[in-house]
Amino acid sequence: MTHGRIFLLAGILLLQLVLLTGQGIANAGEQALPADYCQWHVSDYAIAQPLCGLAGDASRGMAIASDSDRGNCLACHQLPIPDVEAYGTIGPPLSGIEARLTEGQIRLRVVDTREINPMSIMPGFYRDPRLIHRPGKRFAGRTFLNAQQVEDVIAWLVTLK
Ligand code: HEC
């Protein structure tokens, strides 16, 4: 191969790279974050701080976890909720979760478990909506649960002995 040809090939590759990155940036810019979205930070596989500094309510959390329109945790997890007979078994039962994980570790799993396991099929309930590929129309540009709902669910989970 002549030098000229190698330079030509390198030039084409470089151009493709520039085009691809340009496209990536343009796509990311299409969608803005919801105005009420609070940034969160992961350290030691946990999110120590409550989302937006909110305090959760455990009884609301239990209702959200079993509501098929909101958390729908029951679709995949067995949960200690009275009178619930049907539940999924794709995920582990969540009884006793308080003894296995700290509050901050539970928060990361509910917010965006793919930070720990990129292959997880559990939805990131407070994942940055710009990272969700082809969400259903209802969820375009928003999180599956809002920050208060996430904190409510966590407040309930930490009571599960
Ligand atoms: C589509 C199925 C699915 C749904 C819906 C789902 N999860 Fe999960 N969840 C999983 C799977 C699978 C795992 C196991 C870890 C993994 O694969 O990421 C898991 C793991 C977890 C864990 C860590 C458990 C442990 O013992 O380490 C917590 C906590 C959790 N889920 C909470 C929730 C809550 C709360 C909801 C509802 C707001 C929910 N999940 C909804 C599938 C799901």
mmCIF file with all atom_site columns, all heavy atoms in Angstrom, residues 71-73 76-77 90-92 94 97 100-101 109-110 113 117 120-123 125 145 153 157, ligand 1:
data_model
loop_
_atom_site.group_PDB
_atom_site.id
_atom_site.type_symbol
_atom_site.label_atom_id
_atom_site.label_alt_id
_atom_site.label_comp_id
_atom_site.label_asym_id
_atom_site.label_entity_id
_atom_site.label_seq_id
_atom_site.pdbx_PDB_ins_code
_atom_site.Cartn_x
_atom_site.Cartn_y
_atom_site.Cartn_z
_atom_site.occupancy
_atom_site.B_iso_or_equiv
_atom_site.pdbx_formal_charge
_atom_site.auth_seq_id
_atom_site.auth_comp_id
_atom_site.auth_asym_id
_atom_site.auth_atom_id
_atom_site.pdbx_PDB_model_num
ATOM   1   N  N   . GLY A 1 71  ? -44.718 1.563   40.601 1.00 0.00 ? 71  GLY A N   1
ATOM   2   C  CA  . GLY A 1 71  ? -43.508 0.768   40.806 1.00 0.00 ? 71  GLY A CA  1
ATOM   3   C  C   . GLY A 1 71  ? -43.574 -0.598  40.139 1.00 0.00 ? 71  GLY A C   1
ATOM   4   O  O   . GLY A 1 71  ? -42.645 -1.037  39.484 1.00 0.00 ? 71  GLY A O   1
ATOM   5   N  N   . ASN A 1 72  ? -44.720 -1.246  40.333 1.00 0.00 ? 72  ASN A N   1
ATOM   6   C  CA  . ASN A 1 72  ? -44.887 -2.590  39.791 1.00 0.00 ? 72  ASN A CA  1
ATOM   7   C  C   . ASN A 1 72  ? -43.749 -3.534  40.157 1.00 0.00 ? 72  ASN A C   1
ATOM   8   O  O   . ASN A 1 72  ? -43.361 -4.398  39.371 1.00 0.00 ? 72  ASN A O   1
ATOM   9   C  CB  . ASN A 1 72  ? -45.057 -2.550  38.274 1.00 0.00 ? 72  ASN A CB  1
ATOM   10  C  CG  . ASN A 1 72  ? -45.770 -3.798  37.765 1.00 0.00 ? 72  ASN A CG  1
ATOM   11  O  OD1 . ASN A 1 72  ? -46.356 -4.522  38.564 1.00 0.00 ? 72  ASN A OD1 1
ATOM   12  N  ND2 . ASN A 1 72  ? -45.718 -4.042  36.486 1.00 0.00 ? 72  ASN A ND2 1
ATOM   13  N  N   . CYS A 1 73  ? -43.200 -3.356  41.345 1.00 0.00 ? 73  CYS A N   1
ATOM   14  C  CA  . CYS A 1 73  ? -42.115 -4.226  41.805 1.00 0.00 ? 73  CYS A CA  1
ATOM   15  C  C   . CYS A 1 73  ? -42.593 -5.674  41.877 1.00 0.00 ? 73  CYS A C   1
ATOM   16  O  O   . CYS A 1 73  ? -41.821 -6.603  41.677 1.00 0.00 ? 73  CYS A O   1
ATOM   17  C  CB  . CYS A 1 73  ? -41.625 -3.786  43.181 1.00 0.00 ? 73  CYS A CB  1
ATOM   18  S  SG  . CYS A 1 73  ? -41.463 -2.007  43.382 1.00 0.00 ? 73  CYS A SG  1
ATOM   19  N  N   . CYS A 1 76  ? -41.917 -8.616  39.398 1.00 0.00 ? 76  CYS A N   1
ATOM   20  C  CA  . CYS A 1 76  ? -40.664 -9.383  39.403 1.00 0.00 ? 76  CYS A CA  1
ATOM   21  C  C   . CYS A 1 76  ? -40.231 -9.867  40.782 1.00 0.00 ? 76  CYS A C   1
ATOM   22  O  O   . CYS A 1 76  ? -39.350 -10.710 40.871 1.00 0.00 ? 76  CYS A O   1
ATOM   23  C  CB  . CYS A 1 76  ? -39.537 -8.554  38.811 1.00 0.00 ? 76  CYS A CB  1
ATOM   24  S  SG  . CYS A 1 76  ? -39.814 -8.061  37.110 1.00 0.00 ? 76  CYS A SG  1
ATOM   25  N  N   . HIS A 1 77  ? -40.765 -9.274  41.847 1.00 0.00 ? 77  HIS A N   1
ATOM   26  C  CA  . HIS A 1 77  ? -40.294 -9.606  43.198 1.00 0.00 ? 77  HIS A CA  1
ATOM   27  C  C   . HIS A 1 77  ? -41.430 -10.068 44.096 1.00 0.00 ? 77  HIS A C   1
ATOM   28  O  O   . HIS A 1 77  ? -42.514 -9.498  44.063 1.00 0.00 ? 77  HIS A O   1
ATOM   29  C  CB  . HIS A 1 77  ? -39.711 -8.347  43.882 1.00 0.00 ? 77  HIS A CB  1
ATOM   30  C  CG  . HIS A 1 77  ? -38.466 -7.826  43.261 1.00 0.00 ? 77  HIS A CG  1
ATOM   31  N  ND1 . HIS A 1 77  ? -37.231 -8.387  43.473 1.00 0.00 ? 77  HIS A ND1 1
ATOM   32  C  CD2 . HIS A 1 77  ? -38.254 -6.759  42.448 1.00 0.00 ? 77  HIS A CD2 1
ATOM   33  C  CE1 . HIS A 1 77  ? -36.309 -7.680  42.816 1.00 0.00 ? 77  HIS A CE1 1
ATOM   34  N  NE2 . HIS A 1 77  ? -36.902 -6.695  42.175 1.00 0.00 ? 77  HIS A NE2 1
ATOM   35  N  N   . ILE A 1 90  ? -38.751 -13.173 38.864 1.00 0.00 ? 90  ILE A N   1
ATOM   36  C  CA  . ILE A 1 90  ? -37.575 -12.852 38.037 1.00 0.00 ? 90  ILE A CA  1
ATOM   37  C  C   . ILE A 1 90  ? -36.466 -12.279 38.913 1.00 0.00 ? 90  ILE A C   1
ATOM   38  O  O   . ILE A 1 90  ? -35.292 -12.555 38.721 1.00 0.00 ? 90  ILE A O   1
ATOM   39  C  CB  . ILE A 1 90  ? -37.974 -11.839 36.937 1.00 0.00 ? 90  ILE A CB  1
ATOM   40  C  CG1 . ILE A 1 90  ? -39.022 -12.452 36.019 1.00 0.00 ? 90  ILE A CG1 1
ATOM   41  C  CG2 . ILE A 1 90  ? -36.756 -11.385 36.144 1.00 0.00 ? 90  ILE A CG2 1
ATOM   42  C  CD1 . ILE A 1 90  ? -39.686 -11.457 35.087 1.00 0.00 ? 90  ILE A CD1 1
ATOM   43  N  N   . GLY A 1 91  ? -36.862 -11.471 39.893 1.00 0.00 ? 91  GLY A N   1
ATOM   44  C  CA  . GLY A 1 91  ? -35.892 -10.903 40.830 1.00 0.00 ? 91  GLY A CA  1
ATOM   45  C  C   . GLY A 1 91  ? -35.971 -11.649 42.156 1.00 0.00 ? 91  GLY A C   1
ATOM   46  O  O   . GLY A 1 91  ? -36.912 -12.420 42.377 1.00 0.00 ? 91  GLY A O   1
ATOM   47  N  N   . PRO A 1 92  ? -35.017 -11.420 43.044 1.00 0.00 ? 92  PRO A N   1
ATOM   48  C  CA  . PRO A 1 92  ? -35.042 -12.100 44.350 1.00 0.00 ? 92  PRO A CA  1
ATOM   49  C  C   . PRO A 1 92  ? -36.164 -11.555 45.232 1.00 0.00 ? 92  PRO A C   1
ATOM   50  O  O   . PRO A 1 92  ? -36.567 -10.402 45.080 1.00 0.00 ? 92  PRO A O   1
ATOM   51  C  CB  . PRO A 1 92  ? -33.670 -11.765 44.947 1.00 0.00 ? 92  PRO A CB  1
ATOM   52  C  CG  . PRO A 1 92  ? -33.232 -10.510 44.253 1.00 0.00 ? 92  PRO A CG  1
ATOM   53  C  CD  . PRO A 1 92  ? -33.855 -10.537 42.892 1.00 0.00 ? 92  PRO A CD  1
ATOM   54  N  N   . LEU A 1 94  ? -37.839 -9.676  48.231 1.00 0.00 ? 94  LEU A N   1
ATOM   55  C  CA  . LEU A 1 94  ? -37.248 -8.508  48.899 1.00 0.00 ? 94  LEU A CA  1
ATOM   56  C  C   . LEU A 1 94  ? -37.443 -8.509  50.420 1.00 0.00 ? 94  LEU A C   1
ATOM   57  O  O   . LEU A 1 94  ? -37.006 -7.589  51.097 1.00 0.00 ? 94  LEU A O   1
ATOM   58  C  CB  . LEU A 1 94  ? -37.788 -7.210  48.284 1.00 0.00 ? 94  LEU A CB  1
ATOM   59  C  CG  . LEU A 1 94  ? -37.394 -6.990  46.814 1.00 0.00 ? 94  LEU A CG  1
ATOM   60  C  CD1 . LEU A 1 94  ? -37.918 -5.666  46.286 1.00 0.00 ? 94  LEU A CD1 1
ATOM   61  C  CD2 . LEU A 1 94  ? -35.880 -7.071  46.616 1.00 0.00 ? 94  LEU A CD2 1
ATOM   62  N  N   . ILE A 1 97  ? -34.477 -7.461  53.005 1.00 0.00 ? 97  ILE A N   1
ATOM   63  C  CA  . ILE A 1 97  ? -33.512 -6.695  52.209 1.00 0.00 ? 97  ILE A CA  1
ATOM   64  C  C   . ILE A 1 97  ? -32.695 -5.745  53.101 1.00 0.00 ? 97  ILE A C   1
ATOM   65  O  O   . ILE A 1 97  ? -31.518 -5.497  52.864 1.00 0.00 ? 97  ILE A O   1
ATOM   66  C  CB  . ILE A 1 97  ? -34.237 -5.911  51.074 1.00 0.00 ? 97  ILE A CB  1
ATOM   67  C  CG1 . ILE A 1 97  ? -33.236 -5.289  50.111 1.00 0.00 ? 97  ILE A CG1 1
ATOM   68  C  CG2 . ILE A 1 97  ? -35.173 -4.847  51.589 1.00 0.00 ? 97  ILE A CG2 1
ATOM   69  C  CD1 . ILE A 1 97  ? -32.595 -6.285  49.210 1.00 0.00 ? 97  ILE A CD1 1
ATOM   70  N  N   . ARG A 1 100 ? -29.548 -7.149  54.188 1.00 0.00 ? 100 ARG A N   1
ATOM   71  C  CA  . ARG A 1 100 ? -28.545 -7.446  53.154 1.00 0.00 ? 100 ARG A CA  1
ATOM   72  C  C   . ARG A 1 100 ? -27.888 -6.200  52.593 1.00 0.00 ? 100 ARG A C   1
ATOM   73  O  O   . ARG A 1 100 ? -26.730 -6.210  52.212 1.00 0.00 ? 100 ARG A O   1
ATOM   74  C  CB  . ARG A 1 100 ? -29.191 -8.209  51.988 1.00 0.00 ? 100 ARG A CB  1
ATOM   75  C  CG  . ARG A 1 100 ? -29.750 -9.560  52.348 1.00 0.00 ? 100 ARG A CG  1
ATOM   76  C  CD  . ARG A 1 100 ? -29.940 -10.423 51.102 1.00 0.00 ? 100 ARG A CD  1
ATOM   77  N  NE  . ARG A 1 100 ? -30.926 -9.905  50.149 1.00 0.00 ? 100 ARG A NE  1
ATOM   78  C  CZ  . ARG A 1 100 ? -32.233 -10.136 50.228 1.00 0.00 ? 100 ARG A CZ  1
ATOM   79  N  NH1 . ARG A 1 100 ? -32.711 -10.843 51.227 1.00 0.00 ? 100 ARG A NH1 1
ATOM   80  N  NH2 . ARG A 1 100 ? -33.060 -9.663  49.321 1.00 0.00 ? 100 ARG A NH2 1
ATOM   81  N  N   . LEU A 1 101 ? -28.662 -5.119  52.479 1.00 0.00 ? 101 LEU A N   1
ATOM   82  C  CA  . LEU A 1 101 ? -28.148 -3.912  51.832 1.00 0.00 ? 101 LEU A CA  1
ATOM   83  C  C   . LEU A 1 101 ? -28.385 -2.697  52.711 1.00 0.00 ? 101 LEU A C   1
ATOM   84  O  O   . LEU A 1 101 ? -29.385 -2.628  53.430 1.00 0.00 ? 101 LEU A O   1
ATOM   85  C  CB  . LEU A 1 101 ? -28.868 -3.691  50.487 1.00 0.00 ? 101 LEU A CB  1
ATOM   86  C  CG  . LEU A 1 101 ? -28.757 -4.792  49.424 1.00 0.00 ? 101 LEU A CG  1
ATOM   87  C  CD1 . LEU A 1 101 ? -29.631 -4.447  48.220 1.00 0.00 ? 101 LEU A CD1 1
ATOM   88  C  CD2 . LEU A 1 101 ? -27.321 -4.974  48.974 1.00 0.00 ? 101 LEU A CD2 1
ATOM   89  N  N   . ARG A 1 109 ? -29.958 0.645   43.657 1.00 0.00 ? 109 ARG A N   1
ATOM   90  C  CA  . ARG A 1 109 ? -30.659 -0.420  42.921 1.00 0.00 ? 109 ARG A CA  1
ATOM   91  C  C   . ARG A 1 109 ? -31.995 0.061   42.378 1.00 0.00 ? 109 ARG A C   1
ATOM   92  O  O   . ARG A 1 109 ? -32.409 -0.351  41.299 1.00 0.00 ? 109 ARG A O   1
ATOM   93  C  CB  . ARG A 1 109 ? -30.831 -1.660  43.783 1.00 0.00 ? 109 ARG A CB  1
ATOM   94  C  CG  . ARG A 1 109 ? -29.576 -2.524  43.703 1.00 0.00 ? 109 ARG A CG  1
ATOM   95  C  CD  . ARG A 1 109 ? -29.228 -3.163  45.001 1.00 0.00 ? 109 ARG A CD  1
ATOM   96  N  NE  . ARG A 1 109 ? -27.984 -3.889  44.930 1.00 0.00 ? 109 ARG A NE  1
ATOM   97  C  CZ  . ARG A 1 109 ? -26.794 -3.404  45.302 1.00 0.00 ? 109 ARG A CZ  1
ATOM   98  N  NH1 . ARG A 1 109 ? -26.661 -2.139  45.672 1.00 0.00 ? 109 ARG A NH1 1
ATOM   99  N  NH2 . ARG A 1 109 ? -25.713 -4.156  45.264 1.00 0.00 ? 109 ARG A NH2 1
ATOM   100 N  N   . VAL A 1 110 ? -32.669 0.903   43.119 1.00 0.00 ? 110 VAL A N   1
ATOM   101 C  CA  . VAL A 1 110 ? -33.972 1.378   42.642 1.00 0.00 ? 110 VAL A CA  1
ATOM   102 C  C   . VAL A 1 110 ? -33.782 2.497   41.604 1.00 0.00 ? 110 VAL A C   1
ATOM   103 O  O   . VAL A 1 110 ? -34.468 2.550   40.588 1.00 0.00 ? 110 VAL A O   1
ATOM   104 C  CB  . VAL A 1 110 ? -34.853 1.861   43.818 1.00 0.00 ? 110 VAL A CB  1
ATOM   105 C  CG1 . VAL A 1 110 ? -36.195 2.395   43.315 1.00 0.00 ? 110 VAL A CG1 1
ATOM   106 C  CG2 . VAL A 1 110 ? -35.088 0.729   44.820 1.00 0.00 ? 110 VAL A CG2 1
ATOM   107 N  N   . THR A 1 113 ? -30.116 0.469   38.548 1.00 0.00 ? 113 THR A N   1
ATOM   108 C  CA  . THR A 1 113 ? -29.336 -0.705  38.924 1.00 0.00 ? 113 THR A CA  1
ATOM   109 C  C   . THR A 1 113 ? -28.291 -1.068  37.880 1.00 0.00 ? 113 THR A C   1
ATOM   110 O  O   . THR A 1 113 ? -27.343 -1.787  38.156 1.00 0.00 ? 113 THR A O   1
ATOM   111 C  CB  . THR A 1 113 ? -30.283 -1.887  39.244 1.00 0.00 ? 113 THR A CB  1
ATOM   112 O  OG1 . THR A 1 113 ? -29.616 -2.788  40.125 1.00 0.00 ? 113 THR A OG1 1
ATOM   113 C  CG2 . THR A 1 113 ? -30.725 -2.628  38.008 1.00 0.00 ? 113 THR A CG2 1
ATOM   114 N  N   . ASN A 1 117 ? -25.002 -3.507  37.428 1.00 0.00 ? 117 ASN A N   1
ATOM   115 C  CA  . ASN A 1 117 ? -25.112 -4.624  36.499 1.00 0.00 ? 117 ASN A CA  1
ATOM   116 C  C   . ASN A 1 117 ? -25.703 -4.114  35.184 1.00 0.00 ? 117 ASN A C   1
ATOM   117 O  O   . ASN A 1 117 ? -26.907 -3.980  35.047 1.00 0.00 ? 117 ASN A O   1
ATOM   118 C  CB  . ASN A 1 117 ? -26.022 -5.699  37.121 1.00 0.00 ? 117 ASN A CB  1
ATOM   119 C  CG  . ASN A 1 117 ? -26.359 -6.797  36.130 1.00 0.00 ? 117 ASN A CG  1
ATOM   120 O  OD1 . ASN A 1 117 ? -25.770 -6.876  35.045 1.00 0.00 ? 117 ASN A OD1 1
ATOM   121 N  ND2 . ASN A 1 117 ? -27.304 -7.644  36.488 1.00 0.00 ? 117 ASN A ND2 1
ATOM   122 N  N   . SER A 1 120 ? -28.722 -5.808  33.673 1.00 0.00 ? 120 SER A N   1
ATOM   123 C  CA  . SER A 1 120 ? -29.928 -6.028  34.470 1.00 0.00 ? 120 SER A CA  1
ATOM   124 C  C   . SER A 1 120 ? -31.190 -5.740  33.666 1.00 0.00 ? 120 SER A C   1
ATOM   125 O  O   . SER A 1 120 ? -31.230 -4.806  32.874 1.00 0.00 ? 120 SER A O   1
ATOM   126 C  CB  . SER A 1 120 ? -29.919 -5.137  35.709 1.00 0.00 ? 120 SER A CB  1
ATOM   127 O  OG  . SER A 1 120 ? -31.095 -5.384  36.467 1.00 0.00 ? 120 SER A OG  1
ATOM   128 N  N   . ILE A 1 121 ? -32.220 -6.516  33.910 1.00 0.00 ? 121 ILE A N   1
ATOM   129 C  CA  . ILE A 1 121 ? -33.494 -6.241  33.251 1.00 0.00 ? 121 ILE A CA  1
ATOM   130 C  C   . ILE A 1 121 ? -34.388 -5.402  34.158 1.00 0.00 ? 121 ILE A C   1
ATOM   131 O  O   . ILE A 1 121 ? -35.474 -5.022  33.782 1.00 0.00 ? 121 ILE A O   1
ATOM   132 C  CB  . ILE A 1 121 ? -34.238 -7.537  32.865 1.00 0.00 ? 121 ILE A CB  1
ATOM   133 C  CG1 . ILE A 1 121 ? -34.464 -8.401  34.103 1.00 0.00 ? 121 ILE A CG1 1
ATOM   134 C  CG2 . ILE A 1 121 ? -33.508 -8.305  31.794 1.00 0.00 ? 121 ILE A CG2 1
ATOM   135 C  CD1 . ILE A 1 121 ? -35.677 -9.260  33.957 1.00 0.00 ? 121 ILE A CD1 1
ATOM   136 N  N   . MET A 1 122 ? -33.916 -5.130  35.388 1.00 0.00 ? 122 MET A N   1
ATOM   137 C  CA  . MET A 1 122 ? -34.737 -4.283  36.266 1.00 0.00 ? 122 MET A CA  1
ATOM   138 C  C   . MET A 1 122 ? -34.695 -2.847  35.740 1.00 0.00 ? 122 MET A C   1
ATOM   139 O  O   . MET A 1 122 ? -33.635 -2.307  35.471 1.00 0.00 ? 122 MET A O   1
ATOM   140 C  CB  . MET A 1 122 ? -34.205 -4.342  37.692 1.00 0.00 ? 122 MET A CB  1
ATOM   141 C  CG  . MET A 1 122 ? -34.951 -3.412  38.616 1.00 0.00 ? 122 MET A CG  1
ATOM   142 S  SD  . MET A 1 122 ? -34.638 -3.786  40.343 1.00 0.00 ? 122 MET A SD  1
ATOM   143 C  CE  . MET A 1 122 ? -34.879 -2.166  41.061 1.00 0.00 ? 122 MET A CE  1
ATOM   144 N  N   . PRO A 1 123 ? -35.874 -2.218  35.588 1.00 0.00 ? 123 PRO A N   1
ATOM   145 C  CA  . PRO A 1 123 ? -35.880 -0.832  35.074 1.00 0.00 ? 123 PRO A CA  1
ATOM   146 C  C   . PRO A 1 123 ? -35.182 0.106   36.064 1.00 0.00 ? 123 PRO A C   1
ATOM   147 O  O   . PRO A 1 123 ? -35.290 -0.091  37.265 1.00 0.00 ? 123 PRO A O   1
ATOM   148 C  CB  . PRO A 1 123 ? -37.368 -0.484  34.988 1.00 0.00 ? 123 PRO A CB  1
ATOM   149 C  CG  . PRO A 1 123 ? -38.148 -1.701  35.347 1.00 0.00 ? 123 PRO A CG  1
ATOM   150 C  CD  . PRO A 1 123 ? -37.216 -2.703  35.941 1.00 0.00 ? 123 PRO A CD  1
ATOM   151 N  N   . PHE A 1 125 ? -35.575 3.121   37.877 1.00 0.00 ? 125 PHE A N   1
ATOM   152 C  CA  . PHE A 1 125 ? -36.783 3.919   38.126 1.00 0.00 ? 125 PHE A CA  1
ATOM   153 C  C   . PHE A 1 125 ? -36.505 5.416   38.167 1.00 0.00 ? 125 PHE A C   1
ATOM   154 O  O   . PHE A 1 125 ? -37.416 6.220   38.014 1.00 0.00 ? 125 PHE A O   1
ATOM   155 C  CB  . PHE A 1 125 ? -37.471 3.444   39.410 1.00 0.00 ? 125 PHE A CB  1
ATOM   156 C  CG  . PHE A 1 125 ? -38.145 2.116   39.228 1.00 0.00 ? 125 PHE A CG  1
ATOM   157 C  CD1 . PHE A 1 125 ? -37.466 0.935   39.485 1.00 0.00 ? 125 PHE A CD1 1
ATOM   158 C  CD2 . PHE A 1 125 ? -39.441 2.042   38.737 1.00 0.00 ? 125 PHE A CD2 1
ATOM   159 C  CE1 . PHE A 1 125 ? -38.075 -0.294  39.282 1.00 0.00 ? 125 PHE A CE1 1
ATOM   160 C  CE2 . PHE A 1 125 ? -40.061 0.818   38.523 1.00 0.00 ? 125 PHE A CE2 1
ATOM   161 C  CZ  . PHE A 1 125 ? -39.377 -0.352  38.797 1.00 0.00 ? 125 PHE A CZ  1
ATOM   162 N  N   . LEU A 1 145 ? -40.441 6.621   38.055 1.00 0.00 ? 145 LEU A N   1
ATOM   163 C  CA  . LEU A 1 145 ? -40.995 7.128   39.315 1.00 0.00 ? 145 LEU A CA  1
ATOM   164 C  C   . LEU A 1 145 ? -40.377 8.506   39.542 1.00 0.00 ? 145 LEU A C   1
ATOM   165 O  O   . LEU A 1 145 ? -39.253 8.762   39.105 1.00 0.00 ? 145 LEU A O   1
ATOM   166 C  CB  . LEU A 1 145 ? -40.622 6.210   40.488 1.00 0.00 ? 145 LEU A CB  1
ATOM   167 C  CG  . LEU A 1 145 ? -41.246 4.811   40.535 1.00 0.00 ? 145 LEU A CG  1
ATOM   168 C  CD1 . LEU A 1 145 ? -40.699 4.040   41.743 1.00 0.00 ? 145 LEU A CD1 1
ATOM   169 C  CD2 . LEU A 1 145 ? -42.770 4.884   40.613 1.00 0.00 ? 145 LEU A CD2 1
ATOM   170 N  N   . VAL A 1 153 ? -40.616 4.436   48.356 1.00 0.00 ? 153 VAL A N   1
ATOM   171 C  CA  . VAL A 1 153 ? -40.366 2.995   48.222 1.00 0.00 ? 153 VAL A CA  1
ATOM   172 C  C   . VAL A 1 153 ? -39.177 2.587   49.094 1.00 0.00 ? 153 VAL A C   1
ATOM   173 O  O   . VAL A 1 153 ? -39.219 1.565   49.784 1.00 0.00 ? 153 VAL A O   1
ATOM   174 C  CB  . VAL A 1 153 ? -40.111 2.622   46.735 1.00 0.00 ? 153 VAL A CB  1
ATOM   175 C  CG1 . VAL A 1 153 ? -39.601 1.192   46.615 1.00 0.00 ? 153 VAL A CG1 1
ATOM   176 C  CG2 . VAL A 1 153 ? -41.379 2.794   45.916 1.00 0.00 ? 153 VAL A CG2 1
ATOM   177 N  N   . LEU A 1 157 ? -38.813 -0.178  51.989 1.00 0.00 ? 157 LEU A N   1
ATOM   178 C  CA  . LEU A 1 157 ? -37.892 -1.322  51.869 1.00 0.00 ? 157 LEU A CA  1
ATOM   179 C  C   . LEU A 1 157 ? -36.998 -1.461  53.105 1.00 0.00 ? 157 LEU A C   1
ATOM   180 O  O   . LEU A 1 157 ? -36.729 -2.576  53.544 1.00 0.00 ? 157 LEU A O   1
ATOM   181 C  CB  . LEU A 1 157 ? -37.017 -1.185  50.610 1.00 0.00 ? 157 LEU A CB  1
ATOM   182 C  CG  . LEU A 1 157 ? -37.724 -1.356  49.256 1.00 0.00 ? 157 LEU A CG  1
ATOM   183 C  CD1 . LEU A 1 157 ? -36.752 -1.071  48.104 1.00 0.00 ? 157 LEU A CD1 1
ATOM   184 C  CD2 . LEU A 1 157 ? -38.318 -2.751  49.111 1.00 0.00 ? 157 LEU A CD2 1
HETATM 185 C  C1  . HEC B 2 .   ? -38.634 -6.399  35.235 1.00 0.00 ? 1   HEC B C1  1
HETATM 186 C  C2  . HEC B 2 .   ? -38.374 -6.991  36.518 1.00 0.00 ? 1   HEC B C2  1
HETATM 187 C  C3  . HEC B 2 .   ? -38.131 -6.124  37.729 1.00 0.00 ? 1   HEC B C3  1
HETATM 188 C  C4  . HEC B 2 .   ? -38.915 -5.103  38.231 1.00 0.00 ? 1   HEC B C4  1
HETATM 189 C  C5  . HEC B 2 .   ? -40.198 -4.521  37.644 1.00 0.00 ? 1   HEC B C5  1
HETATM 190 C  C6  . HEC B 2 .   ? -38.288 -4.682  39.453 1.00 0.00 ? 1   HEC B C6  1
HETATM 191 N  N1  . HEC B 2 .   ? -37.158 -5.419  39.684 1.00 0.00 ? 1   HEC B N1  1
HETATM 192 FE FE1 . HEC B 2 .   ? -35.898 -5.266  41.287 1.00 0.00 ? 1   HEC B FE1 1
HETATM 193 N  N2  . HEC B 2 .   ? -34.673 -6.668  40.512 1.00 0.00 ? 1   HEC B N2  1
HETATM 194 C  C7  . HEC B 2 .   ? -34.923 -7.399  39.364 1.00 0.00 ? 1   HEC B C7  1
HETATM 195 C  C8  . HEC B 2 .   ? -33.842 -8.369  39.161 1.00 0.00 ? 1   HEC B C8  1
HETATM 196 C  C9  . HEC B 2 .   ? -33.744 -9.353  38.004 1.00 0.00 ? 1   HEC B C9  1
HETATM 197 C  C10 . HEC B 2 .   ? -32.943 -8.210  40.248 1.00 0.00 ? 1   HEC B C10 1
HETATM 198 C  C11 . HEC B 2 .   ? -31.656 -9.012  40.533 1.00 0.00 ? 1   HEC B C11 1
HETATM 199 C  C12 . HEC B 2 .   ? -30.432 -8.189  40.258 1.00 0.00 ? 1   HEC B C12 1
HETATM 200 C  C13 . HEC B 2 .   ? -30.296 -7.835  38.801 1.00 0.00 ? 1   HEC B C13 1
HETATM 201 O  O1  . HEC B 2 .   ? -30.453 -8.704  37.935 1.00 0.00 ? 1   HEC B O1  1
HETATM 202 O  O2  . HEC B 2 .   ? -30.071 -6.643  38.537 1.00 0.00 ? 1   HEC B O2  1
HETATM 203 C  C14 . HEC B 2 .   ? -33.494 -7.129  41.072 1.00 0.00 ? 1   HEC B C14 1
HETATM 204 C  C15 . HEC B 2 .   ? -32.901 -6.664  42.240 1.00 0.00 ? 1   HEC B C15 1
HETATM 205 C  C16 . HEC B 2 .   ? -33.475 -5.761  43.114 1.00 0.00 ? 1   HEC B C16 1
HETATM 206 C  C17 . HEC B 2 .   ? -32.907 -5.362  44.380 1.00 0.00 ? 1   HEC B C17 1
HETATM 207 C  C18 . HEC B 2 .   ? -31.609 -5.914  44.978 1.00 0.00 ? 1   HEC B C18 1
HETATM 208 C  C19 . HEC B 2 .   ? -31.994 -7.211  45.680 1.00 0.00 ? 1   HEC B C19 1
HETATM 209 C  C20 . HEC B 2 .   ? -30.875 -7.940  46.357 1.00 0.00 ? 1   HEC B C20 1
HETATM 210 O  O3  . HEC B 2 .   ? -31.165 -8.842  47.175 1.00 0.00 ? 1   HEC B O3  1
HETATM 211 O  O4  . HEC B 2 .   ? -29.708 -7.650  46.059 1.00 0.00 ? 1   HEC B O4  1
HETATM 212 C  C21 . HEC B 2 .   ? -33.765 -4.451  44.942 1.00 0.00 ? 1   HEC B C21 1
HETATM 213 C  C22 . HEC B 2 .   ? -33.609 -3.750  46.274 1.00 0.00 ? 1   HEC B C22 1
HETATM 214 C  C23 . HEC B 2 .   ? -34.864 -4.296  44.018 1.00 0.00 ? 1   HEC B C23 1
HETATM 215 N  N3  . HEC B 2 .   ? -34.658 -5.097  42.912 1.00 0.00 ? 1   HEC B N3  1
HETATM 216 C  C24 . HEC B 2 .   ? -35.949 -3.457  44.225 1.00 0.00 ? 1   HEC B C24 1
HETATM 217 C  C25 . HEC B 2 .   ? -36.992 -3.263  43.325 1.00 0.00 ? 1   HEC B C25 1
HETATM 218 C  C26 . HEC B 2 .   ? -38.086 -2.346  43.560 1.00 0.00 ? 1   HEC B C26 1
HETATM 219 C  C27 . HEC B 2 .   ? -38.263 -1.508  44.815 1.00 0.00 ? 1   HEC B C27 1
HETATM 220 C  C28 . HEC B 2 .   ? -38.877 -2.392  42.447 1.00 0.00 ? 1   HEC B C28 1
HETATM 221 C  C29 . HEC B 2 .   ? -40.120 -1.564  42.148 1.00 0.00 ? 1   HEC B C29 1
HETATM 222 C  C30 . HEC B 2 .   ? -40.005 -0.126  42.331 1.00 0.00 ? 1   HEC B C30 1
HETATM 223 C  C31 . HEC B 2 .   ? -38.279 -3.355  41.523 1.00 0.00 ? 1   HEC B C31 1
HETATM 224 N  N4  . HEC B 2 .   ? -37.147 -3.873  42.106 1.00 0.00 ? 1   HEC B N4  1
HETATM 225 C  C32 . HEC B 2 .   ? -38.799 -3.692  40.277 1.00 0.00 ? 1   HEC B C32 1
HETATM 226 C  C33 . HEC B 2 .   ? -36.018 -7.251  38.517 1.00 0.00 ? 1   HEC B C33 1
HETATM 227 C  C34 . HEC B 2 .   ? -37.018 -6.307  38.658 1.00 0.00 ? 1   HEC B C34 1
#
